[in-house]
Amino acid sequence: MPTSALLLALTAAFVHALWNVLLARSRDPQAATAVALLTAEVVFAIPAWAAWRMDRAVWPYLIASGALQLVYFALLVTAYRVAPLSVVYPISRGVAPVLVLVLGVAVLGHATSAGQVLGVLLVCSGVLLVRGLRPSVGRAVALGLVIACVIATYTLVDKRGVTHAAALPYLELSMLVPAIAYAAWVARAKGAQVLRAELRPTTFVAGIATFGAYCLVLLALQRASAASVAAVRETSVVVTALLAGRFLAEPVGRARVAGAAVVAGGIALLSLT
């Protein structure tokens, strides 16, 4: 994995953890997510236009990615309403890179190596250790697994799609319809006043971080395999655990520290293979 892709994916992990914590601790995660996505669309519109590069072949990928992103955010916010961040996030983010690797090899015929497989498994093992050794049950696990499937699918779609466009314009267009559709749904279901109530600095920061994180991921996908990028970005689980302990009053014990060390070992292995 090239150093540039590694650094991009690691930075994306930190930014991704930030916006998830900000949305999870908001008064109304659904409304906050809607405002955050619209904020991101507005803020990144001019930079996306300045970096414009778009081939005709990109449109099927944009449509598929947009649909998957809409499903992803709807499921994510629903999960945060019924379960703690420290349950949903590690499951969804930890299982995703394994699915990316399996789908990439089995369906798309991507090549892989023993070192890459071991690196992905180490990262995923560390993610689960960060979560804790006792399994969780119920809706949280089910939602986490479904979200992981969606993440794996849009990662593979975007890996192909971003070869036909610059990263930022690709992200801006793929999220345009989901952002508007989701905000419209929230406004219709709860009223426009709930959106106005979330017009706060933390929501704006979350919105900018939402696009910023995934733009970094797309740039990394242009430089490295989808499995490697997906695995490295899951170090956000470690960051999220620390932030959840600080801002959401969730426990962070020795198992999570050990998990962080395992994740770091997996990243090192991925960067060398």
Side-chain angles (χ1 to χ4, degrees):
M1 187 177 188
T3 302
S4 60
L6 177 64
L7 294 176
L8 286 166
L10 283 174
T11 304
F14 279 91
V15 179
H16 194 277
L18 173 65
W19 73 254
N20 273 268
V21 171
L22 289 175
L23 293 181
R25 71 194 295 259
S26 63
R27 290 171 294 186
D28 187 334
Q30 288 182 324
T33 298
V35 172
L37 292 177
L38 290 175
T39 298
E41 283 290 333
V42 172
V43 169
F44 285 92
I46 293 178
W49 175 79
W52 190 267
R53 180 180 67 80
M54 195 75 60
D55 299 336
R56 290 183 179 180
V58 78
W59 288 104
Y61 300 101
L62 283 174
I63 294 170
S65 181
L68 290 166
Q69 291 286 358
L70 181 58
V71 172
Y72 166 71
F73 279 103
L75 288 172
L76 187 70
V77 175
T78 300
Y80 287 166
R81 294 179 61 197
V82 301
L85 176 70
S86 61
V87 176
V88 176
Y89 195 93
I91 294 173
S92 61
R93 307 309 306 190
V95 175
V98 176
L99 294 175
V100 169
L101 181 64
V102 171
L103 290 173
V105 173
V107 178
L108 302 179
H110 291 169
T112 188
S113 65
Q116 187 179 66
V117 173
L118 181 58
V120 169
L121 293 177
L122 279 175
V123 171
C124 294
S125 298
V127 164
L128 295 177
L129 199 55
V130 168
R131 162 65 187 93
L133 298 177
R134 291 184 297 176
S136 300
V137 296
R139 290 180 298 178
V141 172
L143 283 167
L145 292 174
V146 174
I147 293 170
C149 293
V150 177
I151 293 171
T153 305
Y154 76 60
T155 298
L156 291 171
V157 169
D158 291 343
K159 171 65 177 176
R160 294 290 187 91
V162 80
T163 61
H164 301 289
L168 190 52
Y170 180 91
L171 178 59
E172 181 78 7
L173 285 183
S174 67
M175 286 301 301
L176 180 59
V177 172
I180 295 173
Y182 190 75
W185 177 81
V186 172
R188 178 167 182 157
K190 296 186 173 184
Q193 68 276 7
V194 299
L195 297 178
R196 289 194 294 268
E198 290 297 335
L199 295 175
R200 300 183 296 151
T202 53
T203 309
F204 298 148
V205 171
I208 295 171
T210 301
F211 271 31
Y214 202 60
C215 186
L216 291 168
V217 169
L218 293 176
L219 290 172
L221 287 172
Q222 291 178 329
R223 294 163 171 80
S225 69
S228 297
V229 172
V232 173
R233 69 183 291 203
E234 303 321 323
T235 55
S236 60
V237 174
V238 180
V239 182
T240 301
L242 298 175
L243 292 178
R246 174 64 178 83
F247 297 106
L248 302 178
E250 296 184 5
V252 178
R254 294 180 179 179
R256 290 183 177 178
V257 175
V262 175
V263 169
I267 293 173
L269 186 59
L270 279 169
S271 67
L272 295 174
T273 56

